[in-house]
Amino acid sequence: GAVVSQHPSWVICKSGTSVKIECRSLDFQATTMFWYRQFPKQSLMLMATSNEGSKATYEQGVEKDKFLINHASLTLSTLTVTSAHPEDSSFYICSARAGFNIYEQYFGPGTRLTVT
Amino acid sequence: TQLLEQSPQFLSIQEGENLTVYCNSSSVFSSLQWYRQEPGEGPVLLVTVVTGGEVKKLKRLTFQFGDARKDSSLHITAAQPGDTGLYLCAGETQTGTYKYIFGTGTRLKVLA
């Protein structure tokens, strides 16, 4: 149980284009989903927290107009990187949590984004 | 800003040795998780500790949550090459929204 998928697993796009990454909880309903960014050989940095049906809460320093997050259902959240630039190249990972009184979050396999 | 400092940052040991990884903060956490991450993959949850002073064992891994819920440790007995990876602690905060702050990470390499 507690499986989270991400799609695509890797994507290459040209500078100026937008890219959408999907995060799905496959066998449970996720009241909360989190989006993280990870640079090579570094830890995870939380970008935003999203609860189903409400606006995402972005961490300080994360541009909400650039990283659009939508959590339209209890099993799906999407992250859209708009007008991507090479500095947006990174490993993006989502996680999902089943409820507010449940401590664990389960991670997707990550999406490697390369902007050329 | 809440920070979780892990030490050591890097550790290279021989198979069979014991090791301890520390995760320290000045903040109190509702719970704390430990993860292991392989290159190019998402972190995999190892354990969650909730109560101050709690100790949990997972085969050769022993996890402890500090009495004040500000720090934690991971001890590995008789390390094996399969233990190689990036170990991450993550503390759950309740300031405003529930979210997780990740530690700086410990990269472990176990040599055969």
Side-chain angles (χ1 to χ4, degrees), chain B residues 4 7 11 14 18 24 32-34 46 49 54 69 76 78 87-88:
Chain B
L4 263 175
S7 61
L11 194 53
Q14 292 293 131
N18 302 332
N24 294 296
L32 191 137
Q33 288 84 38
W34 282 94
L46 297 174
V49 285
E54 183 175 4
R69 292 185 291 138
I76 301 179
Y87 287 82
L88 297 161

Side-chain angles (χ1 to χ4, degrees), chain A residues 46-65:
Chain A
L46 179 66
M47 298 175 67
T49 303
S50 76
N51 294 306
E52 185 264 338
S54 59
K55 288 184 179 179
T57 302
Y58 290 80
E59 292 300 298
Q60 195 171 9
V62 178
E63 298 176 61
K64 59 182 178 183
D65 294 331

Side-chain angles (χ1 to χ4, degrees), chain A residues 38 43 59 97 103-105, chain B residues 35 37 92 99-100 103:
Chain A
Q38 186 175 32
S43 185
E59 292 300 298
R97 173 176 166 147
Y103 299 105
E104 288 82 3
Q105 59 173 335
Chain B
Y35 297 84
Q37 186 182 24
E92 180 193 8
K99 62 182 182 182
Y100 302 85

